[in-house]
Amino acid sequence: MATSNLVQYLETSFADGTTIGVTPSDRKQVETFLFRNPNAAGGANITLAAGQVVAVDVAQMATDASGGLTAIRVVLADYNSAPVQKIVVGVVEKAVTVAPQQTSPVRVVVRGPAASVAVTGAVAIGDPLILDPAGAEGTGAVQLAYNAASATPVSEAFAFALSTAAGPGAGTVTAYILGKGI
């Protein structure tokens, strides 16, 4: 049986100067993943903005049956992509720009509070957040239906809102990431 010894970080900022907040022992857990820009050489850079929702890169299973690359690579979460990229890991903590055909480390909040989580529509405090089935990649929405037999498929909540967004368009909220599977 695996064991885990979590150490509480008691400083008010990371070594790189990133401020943690007023209460440093907030149980926020950040993990580093890799993101690869698939654009051809000379193509566009991809910027992952802070607060965008990321998922495991299930496309890696085609070339790495062990699952090692799937476990460390992330892509922008997208409910309607092929292959389906909706296994949410968390949200990007700090923006990063990746050049074509390059791989870059990405800090991802996998559990605890995260600021500026991208959402579509109105959000109230306490609302469960899921991937937006009709929105842009990397965005969440309020989980409106809990019944799997509903007309619109509903994914499981990856976070709960700690602030509000007026909607109806795009906005951001502070959310508590549930840390499922991490």
Side-chain angles (χ1 to χ4, degrees):
M1 183 167 155
T3 60
S4 176
N5 293 320
L6 294 178
V7 177
Q8 197 168 341
Y9 191 70
L10 299 175
E11 297 297 326
T12 57
S13 63
F14 290 117
D16 67 0
T18 304
T19 301
I20 296 172
V22 177
T23 306
S25 74
D26 58 9
R27 304 289 190 217
K28 181 178 184 178
Q29 186 177 352
V30 178
E31 300 284 342
T32 300
F33 290 86
L34 298 176
F35 177 83
R36 178 160 175 79
N37 182 339
N39 293 334
N45 290 344
I46 294 177
T47 298
L48 300 177
Q52 283 189 299
V53 183
V54 292
V56 294
D57 188 357
V58 296
Q60 296 302 311
M61 289 303 288
T63 58
D64 179 24
S66 73
L69 287 176
T70 302
I72 64 168
R73 286 200 176 158
V74 292
V75 294
L76 285 173
D78 188 350
Y79 193 87
N80 299 303
S81 69
V84 177
Q85 305 288 1
K86 60 183 179 180
I87 304 171
V88 173
V89 172
V91 299
V92 176
E93 181 186 49
K94 195 173 186 180
V96 63
T97 299
V98 185
Q101 295 296 303
Q102 298 297 308
T103 299
S104 182
V106 179
R107 291 172 53 105
V108 177
V109 178
V110 296
R111 182 179 179 276
S116 303
V117 177
V119 293
T120 56
V123 177
I125 293 173
D127 281 347
L129 301 177
I130 62 170
L131 282 179
D132 184 3
E137 64 183 2
T139 61
V142 173
Q143 183 181 39
L144 297 174
Y146 296 93
N147 183 349
S150 67
T152 302
V154 175
S155 62
E156 190 172 341
F158 68 85
F160 285 94
L162 298 175
S163 64
T164 62
T172 61
V173 296
T174 299
Y176 191 91
I177 309 302
L178 297 175
K180 297 182 176 204
I182 300 295

